Amino acid sequence: MVTSDSKIIIVGGGVFGLTTALWLARSGYGDVTVFDRCQFDKNYYNPADGCDGASSDLNKVFRMAYGDRLDYQNLAIEARDMWLDWNKQIKNSCPDQLPDGINTQDELLLITGSCFLSEGERLHEYYEASLCTMERTAPEFRRMQFVKDNVADEARLGNIDDKWVRKLHALDKINHGDVNGFMDIQAGIMLADKSCNFARFLCEQAGVQFILGDPQGKIKRLIIDQAYQHRTVNGIETEDGRTHLADLVIVAAGPWTSSIIPEAHRTVEATAGTVMFMDIPKHRTDLYEKFHPDNFPSWSFRKGQGEDYYQGYGMPITKEGRIKFGFRGRKFTNFQDHPTEPGLRISTPRTKYTENPIETVPIYGLALIKEQLKMAFPELNEFGFQESRLCWYTDSVDNDYVIDYVPGYSESLFTCTGGSGHAFKFLPILGRHVKNQIERKVDQFTPLWKWRVVLDGQDNNGLSDGETSIRNMVGIEMADREDFKWTTMEEQFVGLV
């Protein structure tokens, strides 16, 4: 059983690793060290500077709408207050009291509002459940959610500020106008890289040590003692050949979790979302104004089901003029040999910075993104996309996180993973519940986050598909630079005559 004197190693400096380290350190654990192959103390989680984990990103959606999942809804409401408190801490700090990469004008959570949209006249069942659950359990937040084309709701919204009505109708042209939905004006976006940078700063203030960079911060293997009936993890070996001993090793490595813990391949799977970036020229002040966070919400749009399911999203423009769009309707995989377990094939992230780098995305997702965006924002047709990214998430068998001791290791190995594309918003608060699981203190999340594996004959959220699936990137067509354009040369010529 861990105590405040236990030596704890955390593998992974993203959201799960940071929130765990912060709550452990602030709770009196005095020997916590985070290892990561990325040099976060120099690149500040910038995705353009060698960072390829899902946590290292421009921005993420903050939402409290969670269908009928009251547990996550309430956790998001609590996290919102903490995000706003972090905003206040930054604003009220002296410049020299903040970490490099953050200034007093920065806000980590921007309340831009968020639109949740779907095709047809009727709200998607998930959105209906979100509104009903909020009405029943948090009516003060439900009053800040407004249904599109509902006369009473739009009148209420206009009484608050006409800008919110314009935001509610910002996506009217998507799907040929066949769209419904609602907007939550207390939701918004988080600046992901800055948020992680600030969280790491808070960790250091609380006494957490960081060993960062390749090879010194990159794990090579777990050190496993086979002398007992149950194996024990005694620490880790890093790529520089050094041994680091610990009483408890926590693997919070996101989509690389299965590469470190072979048993985890039946619990979580690395899957890639398709992300595209558009850069708006500085002289187009009209577009900067239209897509500015003050005037434009974050948004998501759902359409279809099964193999034809589409779920796309978009963000307001950044200060630098970049707009992020994404597709997560089909979550792609990349099967490779396991690095330490002979004969085992697992889905493994492939990014711009891996040994076999990739600078593009599957054409399937890109084509669907373009199809919807060309309808929604025809004024952007001339620009096309400048850059792409495969954002590697860690899907669990049921989209609940996996935060538990790994069976068979005498409570010396713990994993904190399975974000399933919806964990970033909980950065300030998730560690409290991780600490409970480490200390074997039962709370509302204990049964949800327990270790579990795929079950034959059941829906396992794609984990049973294997490498013969249509999702495996090894066998599918990838986009080239011409595909990044929104219009062909022929279409551009027609537009000129």
Side-chain angles (χ1 to χ4, degrees):
M1 184 69 180
V2 295
T3 68
S4 59
D5 296 323
S6 296
K7 183 174 179 60
I8 299 174
I9 284 176
I10 299 175
V11 180
V15 164
F16 280 98
L18 290 170
T19 190
T20 300
L22 182 60
W23 278 87
L24 288 176
R26 286 183 169 179
S27 300
Y29 288 83
D31 196 344
V32 179
T33 304
V34 175
F35 288 78
D36 201 290
R37 62 185 172 82
C38 288
Q39 199 79 51
F40 295 134
D41 55 341
K42 292 182 172 60
N43 57 35
Y44 313 129
Y45 291 85
N46 184 351
D49 193 14
C51 301
D52 53 4
S55 298
S56 301
D57 204 346
L58 288 182
N59 39 40
K60 302 284 190 184
V61 173
F62 180 86
R63 63 181 169 101
M64 294 167 287
Y66 254 99
D68 60 1
R69 296 302 303 271
L70 182 60
D71 39 18
Y72 288 113
Q73 173 198 285
N74 288 347
L75 194 64
I77 289 173
E78 187 173 5
R80 183 181 187 274
D81 289 339
M82 300 183 74
W83 280 109
L84 294 176
D85 184 64
W86 281 8
N87 282 353
K88 290 179 182 178
Q89 287 184 48
I90 292 171
K91 181 178 180 180
N92 295 330
S93 295
C94 294
D96 60 0
Q97 294 176 329
L98 293 172
D100 291 341
I102 295 179
N103 62 62
T104 56
Q105 303 303 309
D106 286 327
E107 292 182 305
L108 305 181
L109 171 63
L110 282 64
I111 306 300
T112 63
S114 190
C115 286
F116 303 91
L117 308 167
S118 60
E119 65 175 334
E121 296 181 357
R122 182 173 179 177
L123 279 175
H124 191 281
E125 60 183 8
Y126 186 85
Y127 299 154
E128 283 189 336
S130 297
L131 296 176
C132 289
T133 303
M134 197 71 80
E135 178 67 42
R136 177 171 50 86
T137 62
E140 69 280 13
F141 284 92
R142 173 62 184 88
R143 286 193 289 272
M144 297 294 104
Q145 297 170 324
F146 301 84
V147 177
K148 186 176 181 296
D149 297 326
N150 179 292
V151 175
D153 271 13
E154 295 205 16
R156 287 194 304 118
L157 192 55
N159 287 335
I160 296 174
D161 195 319
D162 284 341
K163 76 171 185 179
W164 290 116
V165 178
R166 293 191 292 272
K167 286 189 175 188
L168 180 59
H169 289 282
L171 279 295
D172 278 359
K173 295 179 182 178
I174 202 168
N175 200 43
H176 297 292
D178 183 22
V179 62
N180 68 80
F182 76 94
M183 181 170 63
D184 186 341
I185 69 171
Q186 295 201 89
I189 62 172
M190 301 154 294
L191 302 187
D193 51 354
K194 289 183 180 294
S195 297
C196 287
N197 192 26
F198 186 68
R200 191 182 70 82
F201 168 70
L202 295 179
C203 284
E204 288 185 326
Q205 286 189 317
V208 176
Q209 300 297 310
F210 286 83
I211 298 180
L212 303 172
D214 188 354
Q216 65 273 11
K218 183 179 181 180
I219 184 173
K220 182 177 183 180
R221 66 180 182 95
L222 298 171
I223 300 172
I224 302 174
D225 189 339
Q226 303 277 6
Y228 301 100
Q229 182 178 3
H230 295 285
R231 292 170 293 178
T232 302
V233 173
N234 292 329
I236 66 172
E237 180 185 348
T238 46
E239 286 290 348
D240 59 356
R242 294 192 60 188
T243 294
H244 306 270
L245 301 181
D247 300 302
L248 176 66
V249 173
I250 301 172
V251 177
W256 286 273
T257 297
S258 296
S259 299
I260 301 169
I261 307 173
E263 297 91 332
H265 84 280
R266 301 183 68 239
T267 298
V268 293
E269 182 175 66
T271 68
T274 304
V275 179
M276 303 301 299
F277 301 99
M278 175 181 292
D279 295 321
I280 304 300
K282 291 292 185 183
H283 71 274
R284 290 302 302 270
T285 55
D286 57 326
L287 296 179
Y288 270 79
E289 181 178 0
K290 174 173 180 174
F291 293 98
H292 190 278
D294 287 345
N295 304 317
F296 198 80
S298 66
W299 59 271
S300 63
F301 173 68
R302 301 179 184 223
K303 178 181 180 180
Q305 56 187 343
E307 292 295 342
D308 296 324
Y309 177 62
Y310 176 88
Q311 183 176 355
Y313 63 89
M315 303 286 190
I317 197 169
T318 67
K319 293 178 181 178
E320 296 74 25
R322 172 158 283 196
I323 307 178
K324 171 183 166 183
F325 301 103
F327 166 74
R328 184 127 166 91
R330 181 173 295 178
K331 302 171 289 185
F332 299 101
T333 54
N334 177 55
F335 278 82
Q336 302 292 327
D337 291 334
H338 192 279
T340 63
E341 191 75 8
L344 178 61
R345 300 276 289 177
I346 62 170
S347 181
T348 305
R350 186 183 174 198
T351 76
K352 294 179 181 179
Y353 309 116
T354 52
E355 291 183 2
N356 184 21
I358 187 169
E359 295 279 350
T360 187
V361 295
I363 197 168
Y364 176 85
L366 173 57
L368 291 176
I369 292 175
K370 287 166 59 176
E371 178 185 356
Q372 291 299 331
L373 295 185
K374 288 168 72 172
M375 288 185 280
F377 311 116
E379 66 272 34
L380 299 180
N381 279 356
E382 63 182 287
F383 302 109
F385 298 117
Q386 283 70 51
E387 193 174 352
S388 67
R389 183 189 189 200
L390 289 170
C391 188
W392 287 93
Y393 299 98
T394 319
D395 286 344
S396 72
V397 297
D398 50 17
N399 287 329
D400 285 319
Y401 311 148
V402 181
I403 301 176
D404 199 358
Y405 287 95
V406 180
Y409 287 92
S410 307
E411 295 200 350
S412 61
L413 179 62
F414 190 92
T415 190
C416 185
T417 189
S420 304
H422 69 108
F424 197 99
K425 68 182 72 65
F426 300 123
L427 171 59
I429 189 61
L430 185 65
R432 181 175 69 189
H433 298 281
V434 177
K435 185 176 79 74
N436 282 348
Q437 311 314 314
I438 292 172
E439 295 174 344
R440 293 293 194 192
K441 294 179 180 177
V442 176
D443 66 20
Q444 67 268 38
F445 295 106
T446 301
L448 299 177
W449 298 346
K450 65 183 180 181
W451 180 270
R452 55 207 184 278
V453 298
V454 296
L455 297 175
D456 293 339
Q458 293 193 15
D459 179 11
N460 294 304
N461 196 26
L463 270 72
S464 298
D465 291 355
E467 59 183 306
T468 60
S469 166
I470 61 173
R471 300 191 295 129
N472 188 3
M473 291 196 309
V474 174
I476 62 177
E477 182 181 2
M478 306 299 287
D480 59 31
R481 296 300 303 184
E482 282 297 309
D483 296 314
F484 284 24
K485 298 177 180 178
W486 278 27
T487 56
T488 65
M489 291 298 294
E490 290 78 7
E491 289 172 322
Q492 293 177 27
F493 178 76
V494 170
L496 293 173
V497 297

